[in-house]
Amino acid sequence: YRRGMYTFWKRTVPPPTMVTFDASSREICVLSRSRTNTPLQALALLNEVSYVEAARNLAQQMMKRESDEGDRLRWGWRQVTSRQPTDYEMSILSKSLQRSLERYSKDQQAAIELIAFGESIADESLKPHQLAAYTVIASMLLNLDEVINRE
């Protein structure tokens, strides 16, 4: 949804989010970046407004493109990992979605607060508790190690 290419760079000070993900300082040429996965990266991916907003937009696409729950989860997985999920991975996604659906159907206010993050407006044609649940799943997908650290 948003890209780092629109980020304002100062000459010697990279944006804080880029530092969290091990961006070079651009003072010297770097041929390849080191691959790390730290708790701070996970914290940023799960809580920073732009990533929550990106997860919500991915969730909206999942809900609009497919009508079946399993197809939605497979489509989202395929978009972020470039492969089909295994049966085990699908079972984890399905269980997580069911827990999120239960939580947000009981607490509509929490669902509305979650989908209100960011500058873009949530699609009003989608039910808030369902969109919030799929947003949690999309955030989980975007936080996978294989998504953060592609080879």
Side-chain angles (χ1 to χ4, degrees):
Y1 176 68
R2 289 185 177 171
R3 305 256 331 177
M5 69 172 80
Y6 303 116
T7 303
F8 180 75
W9 281 78
K10 295 182 181 174
R11 183 172 297 183
T12 58
V13 182
T17 303
M18 298 287 195
V19 172
T20 302
F21 291 94
D22 301 321
S24 64
S25 66
R26 296 177 56 157
E27 293 173 337
I28 58 172
C29 180
V30 177
L31 296 177
S32 65
R33 290 174 42 187
S34 62
R35 291 181 48 196
T36 62
N37 190 0
T38 67
L40 191 56
Q41 291 171 348
L43 188 65
L45 287 171
L46 292 171
N47 295 307
E48 194 169 298
V49 174
S50 59
Y51 295 111
V52 174
E53 186 178 12
R56 188 192 71 231
N57 281 280
L58 175 59
Q60 288 177 173
Q61 290 180 31
M62 290 166 66
M63 293 177 73
K64 286 182 172 182
R65 287 187 184 267
E66 302 294 338
S67 58
D68 178 60
E69 175 185 300
D71 291 339
R72 288 174 177 175
L73 296 174
R74 275 187 211 82
W75 185 88
W77 183 280
R78 175 96 171 129
Q79 291 302 303
V80 299
T81 64
S82 300
R83 68 174 179 84
Q84 292 295 332
T86 64
D87 291 338
Y88 177 70
E89 291 163 338
M90 277 301 293
S91 70
I92 292 172
L93 288 177
S94 294
K95 289 175 187 174
S96 298
L97 179 62
Q98 292 310 312
R99 279 195 306 268
S100 294
L101 283 169
E102 285 177 27
R103 175 181 178 220
Y104 289 117
S105 61
K106 291 177 185 175
D107 190 358
Q108 294 282 327
Q109 186 58 36
I112 291 169
E113 288 175 11
L114 176 62
I115 64 174
F117 271 93
E119 294 178 15
S120 68
I121 306 295
D123 189 334
E124 294 178 6
S125 67
L126 302 172
K127 294 178 183 175
H129 74 282
Q130 287 182 333
L131 180 55
Y134 276 96
T135 298
V136 169
I137 298 304
S139 179
M140 187 170 80
L141 291 174
L142 293 172
N143 201 15
L144 291 171
D145 185 53
E146 69 181 285
V147 174
I148 300 168
N149 295 310
R150 290 195 181 211
E151 293 196 23

